[in-house]
Amino acid sequence: GYIGYKPTSRVFCMDCRSHIWQEAPSMLIARRFPRVSVLDGNIYVLESFKKYDTSNLMEVFDPKTQTWEHVPTPGAEIRGEYILKSGAIK
């Protein structure tokens, strides 16, 4: 999201036991409108801004190693132009 009207890569997590917020390792890319999902204990962040560079669309955080990694975006032959032309990313 935004901090001071600028996209940010900063991440904050709340410890559910103590109810205390702490800063976590920053994402690789500053995101405008991140969408977040958890799968197999990893946290996936997808940029949902329509005009975003699709080569940096998603990254994943591994809580065990405390590291972010880039997730490759499928090529146009797989995703088609649906994402770019239909406005599927909103």
Side-chain angles (χ1 to χ4, degrees):
Y2 286 86
I3 293 180
Y5 302 105
K6 293 182 182 181
T8 185
S9 61
R10 291 177 72 187
V11 176
F12 296 88
C13 296
M14 183 179 72
D15 182 325
C16 294
R17 288 176 238 137
S18 66
H19 299 276
I20 295 174
W21 285 93
Q22 297 178 1
E23 191 159 5
S26 293
M27 294 181 291
L28 302 173
I29 305 286
R31 306 275 172 194
R32 292 176 184 243
F33 300 105
R35 300 287 189 240
V36 180
S37 187
V38 176
L39 178 65
D40 295 331
N42 292 321
I43 302 168
Y44 289 82
V45 179
L46 170 74
E47 177 60 57
S48 62
F49 183 61
K50 256 187 191 180
K51 297 178 183 176
Y52 201 75
D53 175 7
T54 58
S55 68
N56 292 318
L57 198 61
M58 187 184 301
E59 56 191 292
V60 60
F61 181 71
D62 183 338
K64 292 177 186 172
T65 63
Q66 294 285 296
T67 57
W68 288 95
E69 286 186 39
H70 171 74
V71 176
T73 303
E77 67 280 358
I78 294 172
R79 74 174 190 274
E81 293 304 315
Y82 177 75
I83 291 176
L84 302 176
K85 290 184 180 175
S86 73
I89 298 177
K90 297 180 182 175

